[in-house]
Amino acid sequence: MPALDGRTVIVTGANSGVGFGTATAFARAGAHTVLAVRDLDRGAEAARRIGGDHEVRRLDLADLGSVRAFADAWDGEIAILVNNAGVAMVPEGRTADGFEMHFGTNHLGHFALTNLLLPQITDRVVTLSSGLHRSGSIDFDDLDFRKSGYNPVRAYARAKLANLLFTLELERRLRRAGSGIRATAAHPGYAATELGTRDRNKYLVGLVHLAGRFFAQTPERAALPTLFAATQDLPGASYVGPDGRGELHGYPALVGRSAAASDVRTAERLWDVSEELTAVSFGLD
Ligand SMILES: NC(=O)c1ccc[n+]([C@@H]2O[C@H](COP(=O)([O-])OP(=O)(O)OC[C@H]3O[C@@H](n4cnc5c(N)ncnc54)[C@H](OP(=O)(O)O)[C@@H]3O)[C@@H](O)[C@H]2O)c1
């Protein structure tokens, strides 16, 4: 990690899991670390453990009003924005604006946040995806699974594919605008976190956590791909994950993505649809 003294970094979902590991490393490197969280109490508790130069701000990505309020209240330069927060495999639900919960939170919330903050960002936008993006597909006629029937795994995979397509198109637009900002993506491999466990059967969650102790990476270790994507000199739209077998564990390396995640036409169309749905357009136009 290079020293980040005097630089501001925003991490969404920094109170837990990979986001917590990421924010801790940024704070240790001297960055002014902003924990963008939906629950201020959980954020304050995490900030206490992180230490360093930090602040906690409220951001609910499942509510575009909250995303706008966060961006409107922001003043000053942001070196790095990390779009880390996410929900996974939750029961069927809608965001405050009526979008399917995974797509609305993981993709549309970050889409709006990034574009609203873009004029103040100077260096990097890192967006978290997942190995599960490979089983995702974008059906523009049924983005919220109303026609095909809701499936939580497919909904999560679609949102994680959208995170990669967003990075691809953001990078293309940044280059076209002559911007110095780079868009990159990362995934943590298999990390023992709270992901997908909230409001679930406590015995099942106990089992997942037990398995995690033996097989998963710690959140600190799982944060390495994000930190690499945020601070190393990489080509735009790079995708970083762990280098071990199945990309589940290991040290950060450039990793591959599905053909669907490299499809520039889908990326462009998804961008246009996301602009329509959020009423937020490219931040540097
Ligand atoms: N864990 C893995 O093995 C794994 C694998 C591949 C990819 N990932 C990706 O890694 C990222 C971090 O996940 P994690 O494993 O660290 O999970 P986690 O421990 O559940 O952390 C997720 C974070 O997102 C926040 N969040 C959820 N909904 C939000 C909303 N509406 N507004 C603002 N924040 C919200 C959560 O806040 P609350 O605490 O308030 O719920 C929490 O801080 C996600 O993008 C996930 O898709 C994780």
Side-chain angles (χ1 to χ4, degrees), residues 7-9 14 23-24 26-28 30-36 43-57:
R7 306 189 80 198
T8 296
V9 177
T24 303
F26 279 133
R28 281 196 192 134
H32 175 65
T33 306
V34 181
L35 288 74
E45 167 56 20
R48 196 183 53 73
R49 288 185 286 139
I50 286 173
D53 175 12
H54 63 250
E55 65 177 294
V56 181
R57 291 201 184 202

Side-chain angles (χ1 to χ4, degrees), residues 15-16 18 38 42 60-61 84 156 160 189 191 193 195 198:
N15 61 290
S16 164
V18 180
R38 63 175 160 176
R42 282 202 286 272
D60 183 353
L61 289 156
N84 161 85
Y156 178 64
K160 291 287 118 182
T193 66
L195 197 68
R198 190 154 291 182

Side-chain angles (χ1 to χ4, degrees), residues 57-59 63-74 116:
R57 291 201 184 202
R58 186 165 187 283
L59 170 71
D63 178 352
L64 291 175
S66 170
V67 174
R68 280 190 182 280
F70 182 96
D72 286 348
W74 190 267
L116 291 170

Side-chain angles (χ1 to χ4, degrees), residues 22 27 36 65 92 97 109 141 144 153 215 219-220 225 232 274 279:
T22 304
E92 186 166 18
D97 307 278
D141 296 326
D144 53 6
V153 179
F215 301 113
E220 292 68 30
Q232 301 305 303
S274 304

Side-chain angles (χ1 to χ4, degrees), residues 117-246:
L117 293 178
L118 211 51
Q120 284 143 297
I121 297 175
T122 56
D123 186 352
R124 205 72 62 102
V125 177
V126 184
T127 302
L128 273 279
S129 182
S130 162
L132 267 181
H133 84 270
R134 291 181 181 281
S135 38
S137 61
I138 308 283
D139 178 354
F140 286 103
D141 296 326
D142 188 23
L143 276 177
D144 53 6
F145 297 95
R146 278 184 209 261
K147 292 183 194 158
S148 59
Y150 181 71
N151 174 307
V153 179
R154 283 174 58 214
Y156 178 64
R158 173 170 297 174
K160 291 287 118 182
L161 172 60
N163 289 143
L164 276 179
L165 290 167
F166 163 68
T167 298
L168 195 63
E169 179 63 13
L170 174 62
E171 173 61 23
R172 200 179 69 86
R173 284 173 179 251
L174 289 169
R175 296 291 64 78
R176 210 172 50 190
S179 164
I181 306 167
R182 252 177 286 180
T184 59
H187 81 85
Y190 174 28
T193 66
E194 301 299 314
L195 197 68
T197 63
R198 190 154 291 182
D199 302 326
R200 292 287 162 93
N201 177 305
K202 65 178 185 201
Y203 298 107
L204 188 67
V205 171
L207 266 180
V208 169
H209 282 316
L210 186 66
R213 265 202 223 162
F214 294 102
F215 301 113
Q217 312 198 90
T218 61
E220 292 68 30
R221 180 100 180 209
L224 292 179
T226 304
L227 299 169
F228 195 86
T231 61
Q232 301 305 303
D233 186 13
L234 302 170
S238 288
Y239 182 35
V240 181
D243 64 357
R245 189 187 301 171

Side-chain angles (χ1 to χ4, degrees), residues 82-132:
V82 180
N83 292 324
N84 161 85
V87 290
M89 291 160 250
V90 292
E92 186 166 18
R94 308 262 150 210
T95 65
D97 307 278
F99 306 124
E100 188 281 312
M101 190 59 80
H102 296 87
F103 192 74
T105 305
N106 303 5
H107 169 60
L108 291 175
H110 283 129
F111 175 90
L113 179 72
T114 303
N115 282 300
L116 291 170
L117 293 178
L118 211 51
Q120 284 143 297
I121 297 175
T122 56
D123 186 352
R124 205 72 62 102
V125 177
V126 184
T127 302
L128 273 279
S129 182
S130 162
L132 267 181

